Amino acid sequence: MTLPSRVQLIDVGPRDGLQNEKQPVPAAVKIELVHRLQAAGLTEIEVTSFVSPKWVPQMADNAEVMNGIQRQASVRYSVLTPNAQGFEAASKTRPDEIVVFGAASEAFSHKNINCSIAESIERFAPVVQAALAAGIAVRGAMSCTVACPYEGEVAPERVAYLAGLMKQIGVQRVDVADTIGAGTPLKVQKAIEATLPYFDVDHICGHFHDTYGQALANTLAALQMGVWNFQSSVAGLGGCPYAKGATGNVSTEDVVYMLHGMGIETGIDLDKLVDAGAFISGFLGRQPNSNVAKAILNKRLG
Ligand SMILES: CC(C)(COP(=O)([O-])OP(=O)([O-])OC[C@H]1O[C@@H](n2cnc3c(N)ncnc32)[C@H](O)[C@@H]1OP(=O)([O-])[O-])[C@@H](O)C(=O)NCCC(=O)NCCSC(=O)C[C@@](C)(O)CC(=O)[O-]
């Protein structure tokens, strides 16, 4: 079995991590979190989303956050854009990559973005075209590739259908997301397998929530298939407002610890990453949701 020697991590903490927080998180805190993540060596950060503030109030300060970041040339800053209105606002803030986000389940598509899968693709197509014409990279997030909070198990054929549509409209790479963290390694591998006819392994990102504690095992299962791009969330922050009960993404700290322990490079300084997680967890008034972060913080206390 040959595993990748290097993994690219996209920290989605500032976006996926914070979108569901009930308490207001000031833009200055979000900006500081981005700064701390880039100081820890993250070279891809999902910063915010240009969605309706009525649907996701926590992301209403999207432009302020994007405009407040002291950018580093080596870092790719991405934002979610569900439609032309979101893209128009986002493009003024110069993202390096936009993310259109669809679902392999019809019910989730309706709950999350208020339209069917087919309608979502119709909305995304002009956004993708406009982004590519402006030299902005395009990623497609595919939610519910294993299970849906409303429909239950999702068949790999549904994933293949969505991946095919994403490819048709010009999306450059896709996230295979286990939105509710219900997946187990073989199921996640099936979802990736269903995507492979449309996107090669270099253009597939694993995005695993950790609700059932399977996300590290799922990450390893994806690595075994050659996937080397993953999303994770500092301090295990997060959850989707339209996936009730689902917890955050696998924590970046846990993934980095596992990868480094396997001799796989990430370019990330784990100590600085733990500090970034402690910073945002301190603001939120709780412990980081990461075993590795807790172990390191306890060790520091002696
Ligand atoms: C997609 C919409 C906007 C459709 O929502 P809609 O209500 O169908 O939209 P509409 O076009 O009918 O417009 C209704 C109102 O929304 C406004 N509007 C319309 N578009 C925008 C926009 N872009 N930015 C700001 N405002 C917008 C528009 O201006 C109008 O305002 P009003 O006239 O009522 O004052 C809505 O459903 C929405 O915002 N959904 C976002 C849901 C969301 O952000 N979910 C979380 C992210 S996805 C996720 O977390 C999963 C992921 C990616 O991490 C992977 C995984 O784990 O699965």
Side-chain angles (χ1 to χ4, degrees):
M1 176 184 50
T2 316
L3 293 173
S5 57
R6 190 176 193 289
V7 156
Q8 178 66 34
L9 289 179
I10 305 172
D11 199 292
V12 297
R15 194 284 300 173
D16 202 354
L18 294 178
Q19 69 183 7
N20 207 25
E21 284 299 330
K22 296 289 168 277
Q23 60 174 305
V25 181
V29 172
K30 294 172 182 165
I31 292 165
E32 176 68 21
L33 176 60
V34 171
H35 289 164
R36 285 176 182 248
L37 289 172
Q38 60 193 21
L42 265 303
T43 52
E44 291 203 42
I45 303 174
E46 202 172 271
V47 177
T48 187
S49 54
F50 286 80
V51 298
S52 161
K54 287 184 192 146
W55 284 62
V56 186
Q58 187 66 261
M59 297 286 111
D61 57 4
N62 41 32
E64 189 182 351
V65 175
M66 278 298 279
N67 292 329
I69 297 168
Q70 283 172 15
R71 297 198 190 190
Q72 291 182 354
S74 56
V75 179
R76 177 183 271 206
Y77 303 93
S78 55
V79 301
L80 266 59
T81 55
N83 53 19
Q85 188 174 339
F87 176 71
E88 204 183 313
S91 58
K92 292 184 186 130
T93 69
R94 300 180 299 109
D96 298 301
E97 183 179 54
I98 57 128
V99 186
V100 291
F101 51 104
S105 126
E106 283 292 348
F108 190 79
S109 182
H110 280 282
K111 295 274 186 191
N112 195 40
I113 51 175
N114 206 22
C115 63
S116 68
I117 296 170
E119 284 163 345
S120 74
I121 294 293
E122 273 171 37
R123 285 180 196 179
F124 298 157
V127 170
V128 173
Q129 270 174 25
L132 294 176
I136 301 171
V138 178
R139 178 152 51 87
M142 304 197 297
S143 288
C144 301
T145 61
V146 175
C148 164
Y150 312 102
E151 290 181 8
E153 284 221 4
V154 173
E157 294 73 41
R158 305 301 304 161
V159 180
Y161 170 67
L162 178 63
L165 293 173
M166 289 274 188
K167 184 72 185 181
Q168 255 175 38
I169 61 170
V171 164
Q172 294 168 306
R173 59 177 183 159
V174 283
D175 306 338
V176 174
D178 178 14
T179 309
I180 57 171
T184 44
L186 296 186
K187 289 182 183 172
V188 162
Q189 286 185 334
K190 287 208 165 77
I192 293 168
E193 229 167 67
T195 308
L196 279 169
Y198 306 98
F199 292 90
D200 63 48
V201 81
D202 296 338
H203 294 96
I204 293 177
C205 311
H207 177 116
F208 307 131
H209 285 258
D210 202 27
T211 318
Y212 289 84
Q214 303 296 302
L216 274 185
N218 293 340
T219 302
L220 184 56
L223 276 171
Q224 286 168 340
M225 295 181 76
V227 173
W228 57 278
N229 288 278
F230 291 94
Q231 284 143 16
S232 56
S233 182
V234 66
L237 296 171
C240 173
Y242 300 100
K244 291 269 175 285
T247 61
N249 280 89
V250 63
S251 77
T252 310
E253 295 92 318
D254 288 8
V255 176
V256 168
Y257 180 83
M258 180 182 85
L259 294 172
H260 289 184
M262 295 169 71
I264 298 173
E265 277 177 43
T266 64
I268 294 168
D269 179 322
L270 183 55
D271 274 310
K272 286 188 183 164
L273 178 65
V274 167
D275 291 340
F279 161 75
I280 190 64
S281 302
F283 174 82
L284 295 169
R286 55 177 185 248
Q287 289 284 306
N289 191 12
S290 155
N291 288 327
V292 167
K294 282 185 216 152
I296 291 176
L297 290 168
N298 283 338
K299 202 167 166 191
R300 282 184 194 167
L301 289 173

